[in-house]
Amino acid sequence: MASDQVLPPLPQQFKLIQHHMRTAQEHEKRDPVVAYFCRLYAMQTGMKIDSKTPECRKFLVKLMDQLEIMKKQLGDNESITQDVVGNAHIENYAYKMFLYADTEDRAGRFHKNMIKSFYTASLLYDVLTVFGELTEENIQHRKYAKWKAAYIHNCLKNGETPSSGPLGMETEFENEDDVSLPQSSDSNNLVADMPSSDLSNIQTPTADHPPSNFSTIQIPPGAHAPANTPAEVPSTSVLPSTPTIQPGPQNIPIIDPSLYSIASQGEMHLTPEDYARAQKYCKYAGSALQYEDVGTAVENLQKALKLLTTGRE
């Protein structure tokens, strides 16, 4: 296992990636794909920070070796071999962590595991940059998750009751650089004090739409997380809560009859990118079915069928 390869101590210059490395370690067995891309992000970021200082270079070389071992071990996993699938895997995982934390927040259930879910989601949105520029939605998710993790952590630390949702943050939420996560020992305790066991039996929210009054953040449609993505168990000691938000009725889209006739008009000449995008839609559809979300499954399957039969989305 990659975790058996002992890395040198993290150089002080790489403090910025310490929690991405910790997240990789926590997901070593729970979700190796997440662990792999967290380390890949850490290596790419570390190279930009300092690749010449002896201790930094030594760390990066060992990290590269670790990544090579993982890549061989996961060689038959499409999330590793195909960027589109890997991007969808990390995005879905981050989305599930984000939605779980946001639902807990809006229900007034403030606890360490909810903070960690916000915190981890923000780190995973960082990791998504290994695939290219973030979408506007993911940029907003990352900003909001960072803000919430720091805000709720500080409130609980000071014995204060946090406010649910984005209320009171609109004027503060203009620049991501202004959002600071807990630092030093507080930041370490934030992560270290929380359980990291695989708790995949925990029921997480299945709503496709964001909670009410979620004015500044938009959740991308159809971005379902795999069912085996572990969530953190809520603390048994929580503040008084409001009712949990329930998912609304499913809207199943009508199947376009023209898609069936198009398929018989001749063979399409598709590019590798077309096939990759079609796989992404099928992956979203499969994840949606795990949540019994027929509407989103049908919608994504129709997108895949249209792409495969017309070459257009």
Side-chain angles (χ1 to χ4, degrees), residues 41-162:
Y41 170 83
M43 186 197 72
Q44 292 180 354
T45 304
M47 291 286 289
K48 295 175 183 177
I49 295 174
D50 188 345
S51 62
K52 297 181 179 180
T53 304
E55 64 269 24
C56 291
R57 186 172 182 83
K58 180 180 179 181
F59 181 87
L60 291 172
V61 169
K62 289 294 185 180
L63 183 55
M64 289 179 191
D65 292 341
Q66 194 175 68
L67 284 167
E68 283 300 314
I69 293 173
M70 292 190 73
K71 194 169 185 178
K72 290 180 181 178
Q73 293 173 342
L74 303 171
D76 58 348
N77 191 317
E78 290 185 347
S79 293
I80 300 297
T81 60
Q82 298 187 33
D83 283 351
V84 172
V85 181
N87 182 86
H89 186 102
I90 301 300
E91 185 176 27
N92 290 348
Y93 196 107
Y95 170 80
K96 183 173 183 180
M97 300 295 285
F98 181 94
L99 184 57
Y100 164 75
D102 183 69
T103 302
E104 291 293 285
D105 174 31
R106 292 182 181 277
R109 294 188 289 265
F110 305 111
H111 49 83
K112 285 186 175 182
N113 291 318
M114 177 262 278
I115 298 172
K116 186 179 181 182
S117 288
F118 268 134
Y119 190 88
T120 301
S122 74
L123 297 176
L124 292 180
Y125 284 119
D126 286 341
V127 172
L128 275 176
T129 60
V130 304
F131 303 103
E133 294 184 4
L134 295 180
T135 64
E136 182 61 30
E137 291 85 357
N138 288 339
I139 290 173
Q140 293 301 313
H141 285 172
R142 179 173 65 176
K143 289 180 180 179
Y144 186 77
K146 284 183 179 181
W147 184 87
K148 268 295 180 178
Y151 167 70
I152 298 174
H153 170 79
N154 290 332
C155 283
L156 297 184
K157 178 183 176 182
N158 297 327
E160 302 171 356
T161 302

